[in-house]
């Protein structure tokens, strides 16, 4: 007998048969909802337009009656998804994008913890004034704070993790704010590399999983940990660690963990990697104790990193359901008349990069035919003016180069050869080099090469290194990192090292710092994707079961309802979408899904070798190149005038 389901708040109602318990407890519902037909009947039920920016975090309250969301607009919003009404809009006080927000348990949804890209954590009480709430801030993290995690049934404590490599534990009974400079009072774990995601076991909440930027997931027993505030901080990143998981092929790579999720029974952990896939592992497994090193081919690849492409921040042209791999666009001769300014500028940077690579590879042999800088600059200027006439390029004063960080700051450096004279009057070839030697990310070096070096441009996410000290700093950094790694390896010999239990592929995760994967019930695993789709797999076999188009660019967040067969999603679009099994019959376009998966795999390879830089980088490059060109033209005129005067004499 077919059972029709209607949704009325946090319960499932059987038509003509009264009201059932929540769906996890209802046996007749489970027989239907845990089968693949359930996810293949999912349909967009509602769109909640409650933000004016990308929605980076969503979470349900304990009863499933409300959704808490945080956004680039720095607002926190509490919404009822059933009647689609906003209960509260809270001006959080955050000055950067909100990345994580949670209701504190057992507080009647009146207390909220949130964190943002500037590292600040806010403790917000919905019944108090904004002025009072803004005083309840923790500025302990330096760098981005990625995630907030509450403890089940605990209304007083919460944890946070961030780019500074620390996991911090706060107790609101002790303090509701902390603005102490360089505060270390509440550090629970110092991972010594960016801690990007955390998760607590739902059944055994003293087990804490931490995802890091070095491809590792570490699980700690919190009973063995403490803070300086509690007087028992150990200060070692291996204290209390009982599990360390790294997929074998990532053991010598640095892939950022974008999300962690425990299964409902706490027996498995789901982990999503940037520029890679989603993995399932059993924390009690110990089959990968001996991690294999990279093969000789892999070592050679590490020694000779591939040429990187440059993409400007704000260029989302490679995301969304209609994005295509570069190879496919070139094959089909695709030329869109409505190419965005960012895409034009990104293409120009990539072209420079490719030509520079060819020139670098041909040095010492026949020089390749490269486009003169004057011509390239003209095309770049044309691209800029075609995209936005309001963009103006300012010439840097007496500087042919610029050194800057990803935030766009910079300082001029010398533009002439030894003795201040130019070694050549020919147009220089732009040369861009990529190196994995950096602090927390990779480094790009830019120089103009034609028998002389005009400038070097180093971009790192951590700091600007002066050329004279950069090599020494990098060597010292790698020496210390190697020593720490060797020490950790020796200290973690007895720690369990699980092997991969299941891998889920097909999606694409490379464009954003947040990309959630999660369980849905006992049988399904889900993830967002840069192609704008939601991917749903069979948890036990890895089979792809469903594809939902959910965003014009990127799906970042997925949160199943705690009881009902309802899913909330969000991403780059300025809204929250609600999904329910409303289709009359199961439907899954496997042909379309296979096409999307194929494109994602190709584009994943492309984006692995792409670095995002701020738009100011492009403008500074154009300004520098324009200055070089102008300076050379003036030099040529000056030399010409001198020759004419000499002839006259």
């Amino acid at each position: 007998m077919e059972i029709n389901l209607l949704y009325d708040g946090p319960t499932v109602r059987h038509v003509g048969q009264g009201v059932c318990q929540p769906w996890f407890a209802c046996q007749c519902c489970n027989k239907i909802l845990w089968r693949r037909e359930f996810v293949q009947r999912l349909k967009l039920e509602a769109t909640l337009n409650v933000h004016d920016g990308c929605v980076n975090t969503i979470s349900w309250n304990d009863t499933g009656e409300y959704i808490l969301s945080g956004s680039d607009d720095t607002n926190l919003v509490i919404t009822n998804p059933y009647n689609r009404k906003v209960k509260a809009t809270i001006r959080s006080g955050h000055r950067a994008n909100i990345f994580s927000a949670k209701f504190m348990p057992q507080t009647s949804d009146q207390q909220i913890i949130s964190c943002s890209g500037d590292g600040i954590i806010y403790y917000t009480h919905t019944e108090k004034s904004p002025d009072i709430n803004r005083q309840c801030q923790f500025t302990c993290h330096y760098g981005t704070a990625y995630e907030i995690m509450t403890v089940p049934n605990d209304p007083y404590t919460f944890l946070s993790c961030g780019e500074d490599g620390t996991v911090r534990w706060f107790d609101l009974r002790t303090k509701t704010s902390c603005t102490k400079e360089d505060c270390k009072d509440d550090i629970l774990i110092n991972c010594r590399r960016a801690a990007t995601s955390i998760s607590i076991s739902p059944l055994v909440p003293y087990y804490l999983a931490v995802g890091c930027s070095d491809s590792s997931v570490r699980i700690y027993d919190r009973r063995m940990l403490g803070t300086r505030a509690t007087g028992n901080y150990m200060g070692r990143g291996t204290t209390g660690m009982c599990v360390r998981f790294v997929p074998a092929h990532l053991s010598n790579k640095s892939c950022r963990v974008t999300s962690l999720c425990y299964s409902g029974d706490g027996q498995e952990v789901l982990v999503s990697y940037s520029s890679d896939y989603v993995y399932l592992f059993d924390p009690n497994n110990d089959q990968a104790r001996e991690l294999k090193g990279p093969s000789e081919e892999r070592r050679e690849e590490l020694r000779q990193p591939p040429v990187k492409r440059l993409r400007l921040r704000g260029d989302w042209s490679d995301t969304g359901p209609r994005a295509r791999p570069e190879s496919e666009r070139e094959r089909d001769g695709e030329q869109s008349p409505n190419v965005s300014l960012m895409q034009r500028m990104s293409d120009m940077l990539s072209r420079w990069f490719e030509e520079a690579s060819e020139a670098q590879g041909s040095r010492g042999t026949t020089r390749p035919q490269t486009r003169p800088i004057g011509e390239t600059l003209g095309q770049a200027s044309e691209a800029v003016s075609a995209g936005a006439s309001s963009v103006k390029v300012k010439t840097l004063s007496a500087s042919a180069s610029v050194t800057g960080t990803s935030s766009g700051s910079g300082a001029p450096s010398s533009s002439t050869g030894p003795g201040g004279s130019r070694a050549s009057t020919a147009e220089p070839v732009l040369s861009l080099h990529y190196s994995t030697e950096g602090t927390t990310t990779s480094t790009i070096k830019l120089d103009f090469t034609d028998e002389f070096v005009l400038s070097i441009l180093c971009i790192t996410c951590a700091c600007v290194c002066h050329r004279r000290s950069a090599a020494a700093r990098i060597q010292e950094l790698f020496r210390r990192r190697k020593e720490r790694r060797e020490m950790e390896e020796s200290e973690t010999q007895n720690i369990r090292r699980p092997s991969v239990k299941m891998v889920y592929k097909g999606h694409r995760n490379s464009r954003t710092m947040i990309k959630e994967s999660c369980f849905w019930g006992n049988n399904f695993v889900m993830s967002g994707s840069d192609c704008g789709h939601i991917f749903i797999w069979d948890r036990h076999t890895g089979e792809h079961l469903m594809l939902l188009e959910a965003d014009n660019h990127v799906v970042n967040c997925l949160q199943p309802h705690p009881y009902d067969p309802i899913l909330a999603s969000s991403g780059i679009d300025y809204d929250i979408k609600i999904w329910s099994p409303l289709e009359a019959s199961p439907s899954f376009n496997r042909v379309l899904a296979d096409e999307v998966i194929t494109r994602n795999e190709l584009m994943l390879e492309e984006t692995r070798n792409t670095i995002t830089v701020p738009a100011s980088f492009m403008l500074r490059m154009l300004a520098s190149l324009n200055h070089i060109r102008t300076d050379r033209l003036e030099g040529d005129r000056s030399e010409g005038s001198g020759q004419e005067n000499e002839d006259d004499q």
Side-chain angles (χ1 to χ4, degrees):
M1 179 181 67
E2 182 177 350
I3 300 176
N4 295 319
L5 301 179
L6 297 177
Y7 306 101
D8 185 15
T11 59
V12 176
R13 177 162 55 89
H14 288 184
V15 178
Q17 298 184 28
V19 177
C20 284
Q21 301 174 17
W23 70 303
F24 280 112
C26 179
Q27 295 301 315
C28 54
C29 282
N30 281 338
K31 292 178 181 178
I32 297 174
L33 299 179
W34 290 136
R35 298 170 58 185
R36 67 175 60 195
E37 287 81 0
F38 157 61
V39 296
Q40 292 176 351
R41 291 176 58 184
L42 287 172
K43 183 179 180 180
L44 181 63
E45 180 179 1
T47 300
L48 309 177
N49 296 295
V50 296
H51 283 287
D52 293 320
C54 305
V55 183
N56 307 312
T57 175
I58 51 177
S59 60
W60 296 89
N61 68 341
D62 290 338
T63 63
E65 186 178 0
Y66 293 104
I67 290 177
L68 170 66
S69 56
S71 167
D72 288 359
D73 63 12
T74 71
N75 288 337
L76 296 167
V77 179
I78 303 174
T79 312
N80 184 324
Y82 303 101
N83 60 23
R84 308 177 192 180
K85 293 183 178 179
V86 173
K87 180 182 180 183
T89 298
I90 303 163
R91 298 187 65 83
S92 65
H94 286 293
R95 296 184 295 275
N97 302 348
I98 298 175
F99 283 152
S100 182
K102 300 285 194 306
F103 289 112
M104 290 296 291
Q106 300 181 354
T107 62
S108 300
D109 305 328
Q110 294 182 351
Q111 297 177 34
I112 297 170
I113 294 293
S114 59
C115 67
S116 60
D118 57 8
I120 297 177
I121 297 169
Y122 272 96
Y123 167 52
T124 302
H125 197 297
T126 60
E127 300 299 318
K128 294 183 179 180
S129 69
D131 291 336
I132 293 176
N133 284 330
R134 288 192 184 96
Q135 297 175 15
C136 299
Q137 60 175 290
F138 299 85
T139 60
C140 308
H141 281 288
Y142 57 90
T144 300
Y146 288 109
E147 190 162 12
I148 291 290
M149 186 58 59
T150 59
V151 181
N153 303 314
D154 184 346
Y156 305 110
T157 66
F158 66 92
L159 298 105
S160 65
C161 66
E163 187 69 29
D164 58 8
T166 65
V167 177
R168 299 176 186 248
W169 181 79
F170 299 93
D171 191 334
L172 295 172
R173 293 167 296 192
T174 303
K175 58 183 177 182
T176 58
S177 67
C178 180
T179 56
K180 185 188 301 184
E181 187 175 352
D182 194 26
C183 180
K184 295 181 173 62
D185 294 347
D186 302 297
I187 295 176
L188 188 71
I189 305 166
N190 190 346
C191 299
R192 304 189 184 281
R193 66 268 297 161
T196 55
S197 187
I198 51 179
S199 183
I200 291 177
S201 174
L203 297 185
V204 190
Y206 51 78
Y207 282 133
L208 169 67
V210 181
C212 298
S213 60
D214 64 348
S215 307
S216 70
V217 176
R218 303 117 180 263
I219 298 181
Y220 295 85
D221 187 335
R222 289 196 297 132
R223 295 172 297 181
M224 301 174 63
L225 302 173
T227 65
R228 287 183 173 88
T230 58
N232 58 345
Y233 177 63
M234 299 299 293
R236 293 166 59 188
T238 57
T239 301
M241 190 191 304
C242 51
V243 175
R244 186 173 186 270
F245 169 77
V246 182
H249 70 288
L250 298 180
S251 59
N252 286 277
K253 296 181 66 176
S254 294
C255 283
R256 179 183 295 265
V257 173
T258 61
S259 77
L260 280 174
C261 183
Y262 268 96
S263 59
D265 57 9
Q267 296 301 305
E268 293 178 333
V269 177
L270 195 67
V271 52
S272 179
Y273 285 98
S274 178
S275 298
D276 208 79
Y277 307 115
V278 176
Y279 296 90
L280 182 71
F281 71 93
D282 177 1
N284 296 314
N285 178 279
D286 195 21
Q287 295 180 359
R289 179 177 297 275
E290 297 297 330
L291 294 177
K292 297 181 180 179
S295 63
E296 186 59 37
E297 292 79 7
R298 177 59 184 154
R299 291 193 188 98
E300 181 63 26
E301 181 183 343
L302 292 172
R303 284 194 293 265
Q304 301 292 335
V307 173
K308 296 289 180 177
R309 293 174 58 82
L310 297 183
R311 177 205 302 118
L312 291 176
R313 187 178 301 150
D315 177 8
W316 297 100
S317 58
D318 64 338
T319 64
R322 280 151 287 284
R324 296 292 182 268
E326 183 180 359
S327 57
E328 183 177 327
R329 288 188 281 115
E330 290 178 352
R331 182 197 66 198
D332 297 340
E334 179 179 322
Q335 280 291 340
S336 173
N338 298 317
V339 178
S340 69
L341 167 65
M342 290 297 180
Q343 188 174 350
R344 287 173 182 265
M345 296 169 73
S346 294
D347 290 343
M348 186 61 61
L349 284 174
S350 295
R351 186 185 305 169
W352 280 339
F353 226 163
E354 291 166 0
E355 293 178 352
S357 176
E358 293 174 1
Q360 188 73 10
S362 303
R363 183 176 293 176
T365 60
T366 304
R367 176 178 293 260
Q369 293 295 324
T370 57
R371 189 174 286 104
I373 277 189
E375 179 184 343
T376 306
L377 178 60
Q379 292 180 358
S381 302
E382 183 182 349
V384 171
S385 60
S389 58
S390 61
V391 176
K392 296 181 180 179
V393 180
K394 280 185 73 175
T395 301
L396 299 181
S397 58
S399 171
S401 67
V402 59
T403 301
T405 65
S406 59
S407 62
S409 62
S413 60
S414 175
S415 62
T416 58
S421 62
R422 295 185 181 86
S424 172
T425 58
E427 292 288 358
V429 177
L430 182 63
S431 179
L432 292 163
H433 311 281
Y434 171 77
S435 171
T436 56
E437 296 180 351
T439 49
T440 58
T441 58
S442 302
T443 300
I444 308 171
K445 292 183 179 179
L446 162 71
D447 62 31
F448 299 91
T449 59
D450 190 335
E451 304 174 7
F452 67 99
V453 176
L454 286 178
S455 62
I456 295 178
L457 177 63
C458 296
I459 297 177
T460 66
C461 289
C463 66
V464 179
C465 296
H466 297 292
R467 284 186 291 172
R468 294 179 180 176
S469 59
R473 292 185 184 183
I474 290 171
Q475 289 175 358
E476 179 66 14
L477 173 70
F478 272 77
R479 185 186 65 79
R480 292 179 181 178
R481 185 177 295 177
K482 182 180 179 182
E483 290 178 353
R484 286 200 304 265
R485 188 181 297 115
E486 291 175 350
M487 184 178 297
E488 287 183 0
E489 288 297 327
S490 63
E491 291 176 348
T492 59
Q493 288 301 311
N494 297 322
I495 291 175
R496 289 193 299 275
R497 300 194 177 190
S499 58
V500 173
K501 188 172 183 178
M502 185 62 62
V503 58
Y504 308 95
K505 299 183 178 182
H507 70 304
R508 180 160 48 99
N509 174 11
S510 61
R511 287 304 312 270
T512 55
M513 292 185 293
I514 298 169
K515 187 75 84 283
E516 289 182 345
S517 60
C518 61
F519 296 95
W520 200 358
N522 296 325
N523 292 342
F524 308 121
V525 164
M526 302 182 297
S527 176
S529 176
D530 292 348
C531 64
H533 290 90
I534 298 172
F535 280 72
I536 304 179
W537 298 274
D538 185 295
R539 171 179 174 178
H540 308 291
T541 66
E543 180 187 359
H544 186 209
L545 299 179
M546 190 58 179
L547 185 74
L548 298 170
E549 185 175 323
D551 197 285
N552 287 318
H553 293 289
V554 179
V555 179
N556 284 330
C557 302
L558 295 175
Q559 288 296 317
H561 190 280
Y563 305 114
D564 294 352
I566 299 174
L567 174 67
S569 71
S570 69
I572 300 300
D573 288 352
Y574 297 178
D575 56 38
I576 302 167
K577 296 181 175 67
I578 305 298
W579 306 83
S580 301
L582 300 178
E583 291 286 1
S585 59
S587 176
F588 176 41
N589 189 336
R590 192 168 295 277
V591 173
L592 173 62
D594 290 341
E595 291 178 359
V596 172
I597 290 172
T598 300
R599 289 193 180 107
N600 278 342
E601 192 64 36
L602 291 172
M603 298 181 75
L604 185 62
E605 287 300 321
E606 292 177 0
T607 53
R608 279 192 180 115
N609 296 325
T610 302
I611 299 174
T612 300
V613 297
S616 58
F617 172 59
M618 175 69 169
L619 298 180
R620 288 171 183 267
M621 283 185 63
L622 288 173
S624 297
L625 294 172
N626 187 47
H627 184 84
I628 294 171
R629 186 182 179 216
T630 303
D631 195 32
R632 292 229 169 148
L633 290 173
E634 290 177 354
D636 292 342
R637 293 193 192 101
S638 176
E639 291 175 3
S641 298
Q643 183 64 41
E644 289 174 358
N645 292 335
E646 184 178 352
D647 292 341
D648 290 338
Q649 292 175 356

